[in-house]
Amino acid sequence: MQYRPISFERLADELTERVTDLRETTWARVAVDGAACATDTAGLADALVDRLRVRGREVLRVSARDFLRPASLRFERGRHDPDARYDDWLDVGALRREVLDPLAPDGTGLVLPALWDTARDRALRLPRTPLPRGGVLLLDGELLLGRGLPLELTVHLWLSAPALERRLPEHAHWALPAYARYEHEVAPARSADVVVRTDRPDHPAVLVS
């Protein structure tokens, strides 16, 4: 695999252009995927917001972490079970139903921006937010690929195994088998539309297709 070095600002500019080129879609659903606590998926998604608005696109930011299941379901097999992290933490059905499906070509455009407060472990009960046609959904999170989520563009922040272990806080090393399984079963560096190597966060590189 060949990677092209790029600055963060240039990366954000190129992704903005890539999203802008999705004008043929009713709404553009874009996901930025990467290991939590080791990659800054939220930072990259946030960097696109103003850039897209300058180009006349309405933007709605959503984080997958606000669509996790209640603690009683996430931690049913213990707090440090990597298979539960992989299979059970994200409420995929709710994410589709409340966020992605309303932005299908025949959707309503009414999106629930967040569902569950994991700190208080209770529903947020927020009103739905309208996203006008032609708008862009920017979703960030981890382990998002390979789930059949309807997305127009996927960006994966990739780390080599040594870099992932180095960048992941020690208290989160129990999740390493979940990321190894993701690499084996989904191969995000091959399945994502845009792959950004982030072994050195200050010097990202884009996979050349």
Side-chain angles (χ1 to χ4, degrees), residues 1 3 33-41 85 141-143 145 155-169 172-173 175-176 178-184 187-190 192 194-207:
M1 292 185 177
Y3 285 86
D33 172 71
C37 300
T39 63
D40 189 9
T41 57
R85 174 78 165 258
E142 68 166 13
L143 307 174
L145 306 182
V155 181
H156 177 68
L157 304 186
W158 186 80
L159 289 167
S160 64
L164 175 60
E165 185 170 0
R166 184 174 65 251
R167 296 270 301 282
L168 200 65
H173 277 195
L176 285 170
Y179 298 127
R181 181 180 166 192
Y182 189 52
E183 194 72 26
H184 175 71
R190 291 183 172 86
V194 180
V195 178
V196 184
R197 183 165 185 162
T198 57
D199 283 8
R200 299 173 63 191
D202 295 335
H203 300 279
V206 177
L207 179 64

Side-chain angles (χ1 to χ4, degrees), residues 8-144:
F8 179 84
E9 293 300 316
R10 183 59 186 161
L11 172 62
D13 288 341
E14 289 190 4
L15 289 175
T16 299
E17 294 299 329
R18 185 78 178 262
V19 175
T20 303
D21 288 342
L22 296 172
R23 285 189 178 275
E24 68 274 10
T25 63
T26 308
W27 286 280
R29 297 165 292 187
V30 179
V32 181
D33 172 71
C37 300
T39 63
D40 189 9
T41 57
L44 182 54
D46 289 343
L48 304 184
V49 174
D50 287 342
R51 286 173 165 85
L52 286 165
R53 287 176 175 161
V54 165
R55 288 164 173 77
R57 305 294 293 271
E58 291 292 330
V59 180
L60 179 62
R61 275 284 287 118
V62 173
S63 291
R65 65 177 176 271
D66 294 324
F67 286 83
L68 298 183
R69 290 191 168 98
S72 61
L73 298 177
R74 296 201 314 278
F75 304 141
E76 189 173 8
R77 289 182 278 176
R79 289 181 173 271
H80 299 146
D81 187 294
D83 287 327
R85 174 78 165 258
Y86 189 92
D87 293 319
D88 300 331
W89 277 30
L90 180 64
D91 192 338
V92 177
L95 186 61
R96 288 192 64 131
R97 181 180 66 252
E98 307 294 353
V99 178
L100 300 174
D101 287 348
L103 302 180
D106 60 348
T108 63
L110 296 174
V111 175
L112 187 67
L115 176 65
W116 197 259
D117 182 341
T118 55
R120 299 182 179 182
D121 198 34
R122 67 183 187 187
L124 288 166
R125 304 187 186 283
L126 299 177
R128 296 183 182 276
T129 299
L131 183 63
R133 289 181 177 271
V136 178
L137 169 77
L138 292 174
L139 169 70
D140 79 278
E142 68 166 13
L143 307 174
L144 296 176

